[in-house]
Amino acid sequence: MRVPKKYQFIVELGKALHTYGIPSYKIQSYLTEVAQNKGITGSFMDLPTWINYVFYDEKNSYNYVECIPPGSLNLGAFSRIDELTNKVIDSKIEESAINEELNIIHAKTKEINHFYLYLAYTFAAGSFSLMIGTNWVSFIFSLLLGSITYLLVYLATKSKYVENVFESLSALVVTVICCLLSLVFPDFNLGLTILASIIIFIPGLAITTALEEITSKSLVSGSAKLFDAMIVLFKQFFGVILGLGLMTSLIDIDLTHYVSDMPKWTLFCAIPIFSITVLPIFQVRKKDVFFGVLTGVLAFFITVFLSSVLGILVSTFVGTLAVVGISRLFGRISKTPKSVYLTQGIIMLVPGSKSFMGLSNSFFNPSITASANIFEEVAFILMAIIGGLLFAGTFRERKPRKKLIENNN
């Protein structure tokens, strides 16, 4: 049964929100609010691979199901769609013009600046290596390996095979190169450089988002996304294990070697740089750049400064509450959805690297206690982030916008 024309703009809006990686519970909330303000009775269910729309009128019901591949997070598109949604709710745009606006948004997401992305991946690896405490040799090669990973990202857009094996392939290539570099440079930090080079792909944010959905009672969608994120993590870990297995059979490698001689001031440079690198990756709009970077920097330093006093669980919880408050403030100032800034703040808190290090220690570190401690930290960070979002009211329904009433006097 074909959906009547009066419902088509809601279908297209839901598809766009799904495509750009918005969590399911937020999509359902957006569509419900739009429908209510337009006097439409509807029920919506968003899942990782499809959306189900059901519309009701006095005599009939209309059901429309569309299969859509899982979306990737695009904060710039989300911000523009939020503005479009508010225009629809406030009756500032004709329904016939909604598709045209969505086409403009889709077109903007295809405007990719490869040079900016190349720099983003390069400096994401370099700045993270500074954040975790390394040395100048490892830092320089982290920059090089970060640039190589973007070349693989570019190849993945051209080859379906590379796209399918990308996570394992990128980890394998980085690991083999790092093992060879460790033969030439005695101070080279093998494990930390591997981690820094692929940090941008480790699905810490995806795991957190999945747990958000589960907490908000979107159980099917959240469980599916959590499983997908864990599979991505294991594919990356398999690439590292394979690379180390190949290289250790040929050469002697000391996985426990670690040298750190970076001055402390480098950390204060690395935090804002790392926060800046996520901007082109998530296609953040220019008007949201300053507040987005500031949110990420504040999130990290608030949590780090409190961790020495309150411990990792309480400090991450307080840091998450602070990030929610900051993102709401900046959202009101810039008239941008708070989720745009909240996501950039949470990125600085998510335990993706801790998860990866925990897996590594389980296989390579003979100390069971050390591995257990890292997994414990991962669990504490995840619980603290979700708890902070929960207590901050992030999972509650969107507050309905009041429809603007024009004064014709």
Side-chain angles (χ1 to χ4, degrees), residues 85-252:
T85 303
N86 292 333
K87 286 181 183 179
V88 174
I89 293 171
D90 296 336
S91 300
K92 288 184 175 181
I93 185 172
E94 297 292 332
E95 292 182 11
S96 58
I98 294 176
N99 283 340
E100 183 179 345
E101 289 286 331
L102 286 173
N103 289 334
I104 293 174
I105 293 172
H106 295 326
K108 286 185 177 294
T109 62
K110 296 177 182 178
E111 297 174 359
I112 299 175
N113 190 313
H114 291 290
F115 178 68
Y116 286 161
L117 283 174
Y118 176 82
L119 293 178
Y121 280 85
T122 299
F123 283 96
S127 58
F128 188 80
S129 70
L130 296 178
M131 290 166 61
I132 56 180
T134 184
N135 53 55
W136 288 112
V137 172
S138 300
F139 165 69
I140 292 172
F141 283 111
S142 293
L143 293 173
L144 174 63
L145 290 167
S147 64
I148 291 174
T149 57
Y150 180 69
L151 296 179
L152 294 174
V153 171
Y154 180 76
L155 288 176
T157 64
K158 304 296 182 181
S159 168
K160 194 66 177 177
Y161 173 77
V162 175
E163 181 183 358
N164 291 335
V165 301
F166 173 75
E167 293 87 355
S168 297
L169 177 63
S170 59
L172 172 63
V173 170
V174 165
T175 302
V176 170
I177 295 175
C178 285
C179 289
L180 295 175
L181 289 172
S182 66
L183 295 177
V184 181
F185 301 95
D187 292 338
F188 185 75
N189 292 328
L190 177 61
L192 295 185
T193 307
I194 292 173
L195 176 62
S197 302
I198 61 175
I199 186 62
I200 207 69
F201 309 120
I202 293 177
L205 182 61
I207 293 172
T208 306
T209 301
L211 291 175
E212 275 188 52
E213 298 206 8
I214 293 173
T215 306
S216 66
K217 306 303 181 183
S218 296
L219 301 179
V220 176
S221 177
S223 300
K225 290 180 179 179
L226 179 61
F227 184 74
D228 179 64
M230 295 304 296
I231 291 298
V232 170
L233 183 64
F234 278 106
K235 285 195 290 186
Q236 291 172 335
F237 189 65
F238 169 74
V240 174
I241 292 292
L242 180 61
L244 291 174
L246 291 173
M247 298 308 294
T248 52
S249 64
L250 301 175
I251 57 178
D252 291 328

Side-chain angles (χ1 to χ4, degrees), residues 47 52 72 190 202 225 230 235 258 309 341 401:
L47 295 173
N52 186 15
S72 57
L190 177 61
I202 293 177
K225 290 180 179 179
M230 295 304 296
K235 285 195 290 186
Y258 173 71
V309 179
Y341 303 128
R401 284 172 56 92

